[in-house]
Amino acid sequence: MRPPASTAGLGGTVEALCFAFGEDDFVGIIDFPDPVSMAAVGLGVKAGGALRTRATPLLTAEEIDEATRRQVGFRPPGA
């Protein structure tokens, strides 16, 4: 499948395109080299007004492993 010009121009590759039932009619998995590239494509698509989109970053198992090794200081409100 040939990726849209905006996707390929920013180094992205289309991994999967699927139709879906429920809140979303269509789901696409697109791999970009960085979050800023994804944001640029998302802004461009939304500016056209024909589509309503939502981006959900996906993490690899290795990235989750790295996240578990990082210390985060958090205290819930009222604690």
Side-chain angles (χ1 to χ4, degrees), residues 11 20 22 24 26-27 29 41 43 49-50 60 62 66-67 70 73 77-78:
D24 299 313
F26 181 78
V27 175
I29 298 177
V41 170
L43 290 170
T60 65
E62 291 80 14
E66 174 63 27
R70 295 189 185 187

Side-chain angles (χ1 to χ4, degrees), residues 12-49:
T13 56
V14 177
E15 301 292 328
L17 298 172
C18 304
F19 293 99
F21 293 106
E23 185 178 340
D24 299 313
D25 297 325
F26 181 78
V27 175
I29 298 177
I30 305 171
D31 187 23
F32 282 97
D34 56 77
V36 175
S37 296
M38 178 59 231
V41 170
L43 290 170
V45 169
K46 288 180 184 197

Side-chain angles (χ1 to χ4, degrees), residues 71-79:
Q71 297 294 316
V72 177
F74 174 76
R75 186 180 56 135

